[in-house]
Amino acid sequence: MHLYDAVVIGAGQAGLSASYHLKRLGLDHVVLDANSGAGGAWQHRWDSLSMDDVHGVADLPDGPAPGRGRARANDVIPDWFDDYERAHGLPVVRPVQVDRVESDGDLLVVRAGPRAWQTRTIINATGTWSQPFVPYYPGAETFRGEHLHAVDYPGPEHFDGKRVLVVGGGA
């Protein structure tokens, strides 16, 4: 089994930034991403979210973020990430759903089904989209209304004629 200096888990903004710098430093690494295409969580965002609506997207190293506009964020950001991966020759492998990380003496083994990668270092850049955190709020257990996380957002039409409270500062 090949020994990597680092394995990055997740190819969203944090994972691509880490990969860029690992490559710049000459460190042998691989980026494992669960999605079938580039874009991290952005590719799963709702169609009504435009680039004008996002709170801004940070630049990637040596890769300025796309500008604002009415274009759908779930199209623009994945295209930008895909272009960035190719332009910088980042070693992204997908789709890879990491099952576990095991210790093997002084090394780590990252496992995804029958596949495995041995490494000295893990960078966990998985984000929160696949396992969203819903905090406890006093009274939540007796609230009779609908309670959704952004991951489950069904689109603006779902809320027509309803009173809505948004908690949190994300897009």
Side-chain angles (χ1 to χ4, degrees):
M1 182 181 325
H2 180 82
L3 174 61
Y4 290 95
D5 294 315
V7 170
V8 180
I9 304 172
Q13 194 159 2
L16 296 182
S17 295
S19 181
Y20 173 91
H21 288 292
L22 290 167
K23 184 173 181 177
R24 182 180 59 82
L25 294 169
L27 296 172
D28 185 26
H29 72 286
V30 65
V31 181
L32 307 177
D33 191 61
N35 292 292
S36 59
W42 287 98
Q43 63 191 300
H44 306 294
R45 304 283 170 129
W46 44 97
D47 291 345
S48 61
L49 183 66
S50 75
M51 292 303 291
D52 275 344
D53 299 324
V54 300
H55 293 191
V57 179
D59 293 348
L60 287 167
D62 193 30
R68 301 184 68 80
R70 292 305 307 157
R72 290 174 22 183
N74 62 4
D75 287 333
V76 173
I77 303 298
D79 286 349
W80 174 46
F81 282 12
D82 188 51
D83 291 345
Y84 186 85
E85 290 174 16
R86 282 188 280 105
H88 294 285
L90 301 182
V92 179
V93 179
R94 59 171 62 93
V96 176
Q97 180 68 48
V98 172
D99 299 320
R100 63 191 180 282
V101 176
E102 301 171 343
S103 176
D104 184 16
D106 292 336
L107 302 175
L108 299 167
V109 178
V110 178
R111 298 203 179 272
R115 298 186 286 177
W117 296 262
Q118 192 173 43
T119 185
R120 294 181 173 85
T121 306
I122 296 283
I123 297 176
N124 180 3
T126 55
T128 59
W129 194 257
S130 61
Q131 294 193 10
F133 173 71
V134 178
Y136 170 77
Y137 296 102
E141 65 279 353
T142 59
F143 177 67
R144 293 191 320 251
E146 193 171 14
H147 186 180
L148 297 173
H149 187 279
V151 167
D152 302 311
Y153 178 69
E157 299 81 17
H158 179 80
F159 300 99
D160 283 349
K162 297 180 182 179
R163 294 184 307 161
V164 177
L165 171 66
V166 177
V167 178

